Amino acid sequence: MDTYDVVVVGGGPAGEVVADRTVRSGLTAVVVEAEAVGGECSYRACVPSKALLRPGAARAEARSVDGARQAVTAALDPARVLARRDRFTGRGDDTGQADWLDGAGIALVRGHGRLAGERRVEVTGADGMVRTLRARRAVVVCTGTEPALPPIEGLDRIGVWTNRQATTADAVPERLVVIGGGVVACEMATAWRSLGSSVTVLVRDQALLTGWEPCAGEEVTRGLSDLGVTIRFGVSAVRVARDDDTRTVTVHTDDGTTLVCDEVLAAVGRRPRTADLGLDSVGLPAGDWLAVDDTCRVAAVGGDWLYAVGDVNHRGPLTHMAKYQASACAAAIAERAAGRPADTGGRQPWSAEADHIAVPQAVFTRPEVASVGLTERAAREAGLAVRVVEYRIDDVAGAALHADDYRGLAKLVVDEPRGVVVGCTLTGPMATELIHTATVAIVGEVPLERLWHAVPAFPTVSEVWLRLLEAYGR
């Protein structure tokens, strides 16, 4: 049995940060990983998806400025776009990431890790051999999530795409049907349409990005339509079948119509990777999300030893929030190892409080959309007395200079009694870069009267903040 202070199950961004911060605090750590060190984000999600999206966005930006537009006379080169993506992902080769762990003084055990009682993890290697690891201080679960497939007849027999295939495919499908209306559906519809696919999106709801401010879904709908994507709202696939000879897929929908395509992407949500994690050995049901407190300690297990970081705890299923939680978790483990309580509250380093108030989200569609904090609806449902301010970003001088056809909207949700920003949504070019200003305002609880003194440079798109304050009034 090998013993470490901290055993981390899962070597994605969350696991890497937990282990790194743990070792920096003077403790020992081991990472258990069954696939590639670096996780879903590095090879099959965030990184490859943005690599696929960026060339189309860059081309569109050039064509949005007169004088540059005339120089852009060709379509994207799919082969070069896919090759550039592969340079970022290494086609799943994790040698660099594994070497980084070694250089940081973090042990790596390859294999499938399962809890085997308090502070114990059993790792089954590719050769079937089982190795037991014991944690002196903590076991941290960072296993993330996996795609949830909708209950559609035949879906398991056609070689359906999930985010994994959609971000790693080696060829552009002539026709692609996307099932879903969330972030993955919208981004992948944008990417593959830019590369030449004929794309149809089937959305069960009546809008895209339903958890966002309505303006976000409306702008993405307009953008996809302008790209030539067909969007069918209120329509669900009920049966799919792939022809053995032509290899085409026929999609039958609940409105009685059919579509013929080359690939189907199912993008309807995620589920936790906890079904085969040995949760029963510590009294937890298999397959569940792991509820945690602000130090990422699993609430239902006593003894201050079991933690869950990242998507698996369902607090803020985004890579940047996983890293944030991981840093807090490692700090809590170090505090408790030193005999200190690591109480939450008061913006302590070991308390992942931003999960509740300021989770930034960025969607790299065209136009981009970004948000942080509460939507107007969520704020009112929480009982806050809010005032909402909206401003067209295209009316800002910097935006007009940035692109001849700039179109964007800024929406601010203000807690009136406190005079602070609690939510912000932005649409349009550079929205994903502009959102961090709102994140700082929300986390810092900066009064609007003080924000007046944060003067944006002229002429920049950031001047929209001055216009929002003017619309709100002193």
Side-chain angles (χ1 to χ4, degrees), residues 326-352:
S327 180
C329 177
I333 291 169
E335 282 292 295
R336 288 167 181 151
R340 295 184 288 268
D343 293 332
T344 57
R347 306 286 168 87
Q348 298 293 338
W350 48 80
S351 183

Side-chain angles (χ1 to χ4, degrees), residues 56-81:
R59 180 179 182 276
E61 286 176 12
R63 289 185 58 80
S64 71
V65 179
D66 194 20
R69 180 182 305 119
Q70 290 75 13
V72 182
T73 58
L76 295 180
D77 184 327
R80 288 182 178 272
V81 172

Side-chain angles (χ1 to χ4, degrees), residues 50 183 186-187 209 212 220 361-365 367-370 432:
K50 303 314 169 283
V183 174
C186 293
E187 287 192 341
L209 304 176
W212 291 56
V220 172
Q361 302 180 78
V363 184
F364 294 82
T365 45
E368 295 179 351
V369 295
T432 57

Side-chain angles (χ1 to χ4, degrees), residues 181 186 207-210 212-224 231 233 369 425 427:
C186 293
L208 299 175
L209 304 176
T210 53
W212 291 56
E213 294 282 8
C215 61
E218 291 165 3
E219 287 297 290
V220 172
T221 298
R222 180 190 61 80
L224 286 172
I231 307 173
F233 291 108
V369 295
T425 297
T427 75

Side-chain angles (χ1 to χ4, degrees), residues 180-259:
V183 174
V184 172
C186 293
E187 287 192 341
M188 289 298 93
T190 301
W192 289 107
R193 177 59 193 143
S194 298
L195 290 169
S197 288
S198 174
V199 180
T200 300
V201 182
L202 303 181
V203 187
R204 179 184 60 186
D205 299 312
Q206 295 299 323
L208 299 175
L209 304 176
T210 53
W212 291 56
E213 294 282 8
C215 61
E218 291 165 3
E219 287 297 290
V220 172
T221 298
R222 180 190 61 80
L224 286 172
S225 297
D226 288 348
L227 278 175
V229 174
T230 299
I231 307 173
R232 298 178 62 185
F233 291 108
V235 177
S236 297
V238 294
R239 187 172 73 259
V240 296
R242 188 181 289 277
D243 187 282
D244 291 336
D245 296 323
T246 65
R247 303 306 297 161
T248 59
V249 178
T250 300
V251 180
H252 300 267
T253 65
D254 58 0
D255 67 355
T257 60
T258 60
L259 300 101

